[in-house]
Amino acid sequence: MQALWYKILQQDDRFLLIILAIVVGVCSSFAALALTFLIETLFHLYSYVKDYSFVFILPAIGAICSSCFLNNFLKEGAGHGVPEVIYSVSRYGGLLRLRSSFSRIISSSLTIGSGGSAGPEAPVVMSGAAIGSNIAKIAKLNDRQRICLVGCGTAGAIASIFNAPIAGLVFTMEVLLGKWRTTNVIPIAIAAVSGASLTHFISGNRVVFSHQIFSSNFTDILVSAGLGLITAIVSVFFYFSLSKSYNFFSKKKAPLWFKAGIGGIIVGVMGLSFPDILGEGYHPIKIIINSGYNASFFIVFMVCILKIFATSFTLGSGGSGGIFAPCLVIGSFLGLAYYKFVMFFLPHLNITNEGYYALLGMAGILSGVLHAPLTGIFLILEITASYNVMLPLVVVSVMSTSLSHFIYPYSFYMKGLIDTKSLLREGTDLRVLSDMDIRELLEKDCVVINENITLNHFFKNEVKYSKRNLFPVEDDEGNFVGLLDFNDVRKYIFNPIVCNSTLVRYVMRPKEDVYKATIDDSLNEILSIMDNKGLFSVPILYNGRFIGMLSKATILDKYRTELLLQAD
């Protein structure tokens, strides 16, 4: 009976994915609730000792524990999760280990709960994605279906932690998958709604950042354009700071736990004077949005800048967490500072209050760093339920994304993947070629000739056994020494004097002048060189010996087969 039911589900791919999407969304919601509970519990304990002189070492202790747990106990590298998921989707069809479903929950709660400046969103994305991947493995799904469930886990996690199903869907399609495929949208949307619904059932109908009703005017839209420019500049600076921090700590020859501890100490020291930079930072955001943050422009601006450095040191040194929450905190303080700056020079200007510009700043920084304007717009709309700011949100998000893209053409999540040429989006040329093995494409029906035979011997004994124009040439020891093109010697066929007196080695193309490749070379690079040089076949060598020809016709034939498989 179970086998029959499973066959029925398999016959309707959409129905199967919808059912599994609900399961993945619910499981991802539990992961998000668990992470939120752990962070709130640890940060609550942290509040009891925040007035003691030793409090600055707590972020270091949390970072050390997090690093040891990930690197020494689970043997899983540090990171904030999203790039790892994108890499898995692009290279391995969404395959993720089961332990990834809980590893980042524990490690990030240790980092953030002890005061480390990071967010819980990216770790729970990895958790949800791993849940989706392993459910797909149990259901014996193919790569396309598994990627869909990985997206379901991501959407369910984001929707649960922010109570924002639309933002979960948009983030998954815009950032994680990078492709709006219609067959994925419905299951991912259902997973997002399932996750948010479970969170609503357990935690109530909460809005992450409650607010007052805003009423904007045309002046606000004009002023928000200036904020779009500022958020773009700060987004680039945040991007630069994160990159430099990662590079700095990666080059230091020290144990991973020690580097994480150093980063934690630095953050702890900064937090002594500016405690608002510690942890995920949602509490000061709530105050700012409700226009209750009473501080000078200098203090607000300093918190904004120090939050950038604190996040860079936390994540760059090896702490576990994401950049979602820091982007929101930086954006809220930047929006507040911008409002104070404008009102100082134009005190009679008729614009909405500081909470309004804090929301715009949050969307601007998030969009600028992630290069995901739709995610920034819908996330702010949902987590604040403030739809009156839609038009200014679009202005700020699009400006910030466009200007920051001019400096950094790809988002921070993609930086490491693109630098190492590891980003292979589904259905793209690179992805299809990466799934093809040169060994499977080799054509071994080639007639290999010795360099010391005469052309007469070649015409009488070798040509008649080959359907090819290219003949690999080797020396007496079997090493590849060149390539003989039949078209180059065709003119000598009816010249017996030349044929009897000329050896192959004198008319062949020496190996120095022949483009050749090895089985370890990138197929994409080989095909690119073949296109540039106008070649249709290239010899493939192994340890200096010829092992077969690689032709463009065979590549394209296999390419079409792989493309059809990835589309199924």
Side-chain angles (χ1 to χ4, degrees):
M1 184 66 182
Q2 290 180 349
L4 178 61
W5 175 244
Y6 184 74
K7 288 181 179 179
I8 294 174
L9 291 179
Q10 282 284 11
Q11 288 177 359
D12 192 339
D13 177 70
R14 294 170 297 179
F15 188 39
L16 173 64
L17 290 177
I18 286 173
I19 291 176
L20 293 179
I22 296 173
V23 177
V24 172
V26 169
C27 293
S28 299
S29 180
F30 278 120
L33 289 168
L35 177 58
T36 301
F37 173 77
L38 287 174
I39 291 176
E40 289 178 351
T41 300
L42 289 174
F43 210 67
H44 180 69
L45 296 175
Y46 174 86
S47 64
Y48 285 114
V49 296
K50 65 180 181 179
D51 295 326
Y52 289 89
S53 59
F54 62 82
V55 70
F56 70 94
I57 68 170
L58 293 183
I61 294 175
I64 290 172
C65 293
S66 173
S67 177
C68 291
F69 175 76
L70 274 182
N71 298 295
N72 300 104
F73 183 67
L74 290 183
K75 306 297 182 181
E76 193 169 289
H80 45 81
V82 176
E84 289 84 349
V85 177
I86 295 174
Y87 177 76
S88 171
V89 168
S90 68
R91 295 301 296 266
Y92 303 114
L95 283 174
L96 289 166
R97 292 169 291 192
L98 179 61
R99 65 172 179 259
S100 295
S101 61
F102 64 85
S103 61
R104 301 307 168 98
I105 291 178
I106 297 175
S107 63
S108 61
S109 63
L110 291 171
T111 299
I112 302 169
S114 62
S117 178
E121 302 79 17
V124 84
V125 162
M126 188 166 194
S127 178
I131 290 171
S133 176
N134 283 276
I135 288 178
K137 182 179 180 180
I138 294 172
K140 299 179 180 179
L141 303 184
N142 58 34
D143 283 5
R144 181 186 62 79
Q145 294 166 330
R146 187 191 306 113
I147 289 172
C148 181
L149 288 193
V150 167
C152 290
T154 299
I158 292 292
S160 299
I161 208 161
F162 283 119
N163 197 18
I166 297 179
L169 168 65
V170 172
F171 173 81
T172 301
M173 304 304 293
E174 187 177 31
V175 176
L176 190 75
L177 302 183
K179 186 176 183 181
W180 288 82
R181 173 180 277 180
T182 54
T183 55
N184 289 339
V185 171
I186 292 178
I188 291 173
I190 290 174
V193 172
S194 300
S197 298
L198 180 62
T199 301
H200 166 65
F201 178 76
I202 295 176
S203 303
N205 188 21
R206 63 188 179 91
V207 177
V208 179
F209 303 124
S210 58
H211 70 288
Q212 55 184 304
I213 301 298
F214 297 117
S215 179
S216 60
N217 53 51
F218 183 71
T219 305
D220 286 307
I221 298 175
L222 294 178
V223 175
S224 66
L227 181 57
L229 174 62
I230 300 299
T231 54
I233 295 172
V234 175
S235 296
V236 169
F237 178 67
F238 186 26
Y239 194 123
F240 175 80
S241 177
L242 283 168
S243 300
K244 287 298 181 181
S245 180
Y246 274 103
N247 292 337
F248 175 80
F249 282 103
S250 64
K251 293 178 181 178
K252 298 301 177 183
K253 295 181 179 180
L256 296 176
W257 64 266
F258 181 78
K259 291 190 284 189
I262 294 297
I265 285 286
I266 296 173
V267 173
V269 171
M270 289 191 293
L272 291 175
S273 301
F274 297 90
D276 286 336
I277 69 172
L278 300 176
E280 59 186 13
Y282 287 160
H283 179 67
I285 294 178
K286 296 176 182 178
I287 299 175
I288 292 173
I289 291 177
N290 288 283
S291 304
Y293 197 89
N294 299 317
S296 66
F297 169 83
F298 175 78
I299 296 297
V300 172
F301 185 74
M302 282 299 298
V303 172
C304 177
I305 298 302
L306 289 178
K307 184 66 176 178
I308 292 176
F309 290 136
T311 305
S312 300
F313 281 118
T314 297
L315 299 180
S317 64
S320 182
I323 59 176
F324 247 75
C327 283
L328 298 179
V329 176
I330 294 166
S332 63
F333 277 96
L334 182 63
L336 175 58
Y338 179 76
Y339 173 83
K340 289 180 176 292
F341 179 83
V342 171
M343 293 309 296
F344 178 80
F345 288 99
L346 300 170
H348 301 295
L349 193 65
N350 182 25
I351 59 175
T352 312
N353 61 29
E354 57 197 51
Y356 176 91
Y357 286 91
L359 293 179
L360 299 182
M362 291 160 64
I365 296 296
L366 193 64
S367 300
V369 175
L370 303 187
H371 289 192
L374 291 178
T375 299
I377 292 169
F378 284 104
L379 182 65
I380 301 305
L381 288 177
E382 284 195 284
I383 65 179
T384 63
S386 179
Y387 292 89
N388 296 323
V389 297
M390 178 61 132
L391 182 56
L393 271 178
V394 172
V395 172
V396 173
S397 297
V398 171
M399 282 191 64
S400 182
T401 303
S402 301
L403 295 175
S404 61
H405 182 270
F406 181 76
I407 306 298
Y408 290 110
Y410 37 83
S411 76
F412 183 74
Y413 286 148
M414 310 296 183
K415 182 180 185 301
L417 299 177
I418 291 177
D419 289 345
T420 58
K421 298 182 180 180
S422 301
L423 181 63
L424 305 176
R425 287 297 194 185
E426 181 187 7
T428 61
D429 194 57
L430 283 174
R431 170 64 192 278
V432 176
L433 290 174
S434 71
D435 290 338
M436 297 164 59
D437 192 340
I438 291 181
R439 295 172 180 83
E440 299 176 353
L441 302 173
L442 284 180
E443 300 171 353
K444 299 184 179 181
D445 59 337
C446 304
V447 175
V448 182
I449 60 177
N450 188 277
E451 65 176 344
N452 294 315
I453 65 172
T454 63
L455 285 182
N456 185 53
H457 182 276
F458 169 70
F459 289 136
K460 289 184 177 181
N461 299 285
E462 309 294 353
V463 173
K464 64 181 180 179
Y465 295 114
S466 177
K467 298 179 181 179
R468 297 175 175 274
N469 287 335
L470 297 177
F471 295 83
V473 182
E474 60 184 15
D475 59 17
D476 293 333
E477 297 179 355
N479 297 313
F480 178 81
V481 293
L483 198 65
L484 180 64
D485 190 334
F486 180 72
N487 292 323
D488 292 341
V489 295
R490 188 190 304 270
K491 58 187 176 183
Y492 302 127
I493 292 179
F494 300 108
N495 190 332
I497 297 177
V498 174
C499 289
N500 289 322
S501 61
T502 305
L503 300 180
V504 164
R505 64 185 177 191
Y506 296 122
V507 291
M508 71 178 185
R509 300 176 185 176
K511 64 179 182 179
E512 293 79 11
D513 298 334
V514 174
Y515 172 67
K516 50 200 174 295
T518 70
I519 56 175
D520 297 322
D521 289 341
S522 166
L523 190 57
N524 179 64
E525 293 180 359
I526 293 175
L527 191 58
S528 178
I529 294 175
M530 290 176 71
D531 287 337
N532 292 334
K533 293 180 176 291
L535 303 175
F536 294 96
S537 297
V538 296
I540 304 298
L541 309 183
Y542 180 72
N543 290 333
R545 294 175 179 267
F546 174 81
I547 58 173
M549 295 292 289
L550 181 65
S551 73
K552 186 178 291 186
T554 303
I555 294 175
L556 295 180
D557 184 60
K558 182 67 173 177
Y559 182 97
R560 182 175 180 274
T561 303
E562 287 291 335
L563 194 61
L564 291 173
L565 288 174
Q566 292 191 14
D568 289 338

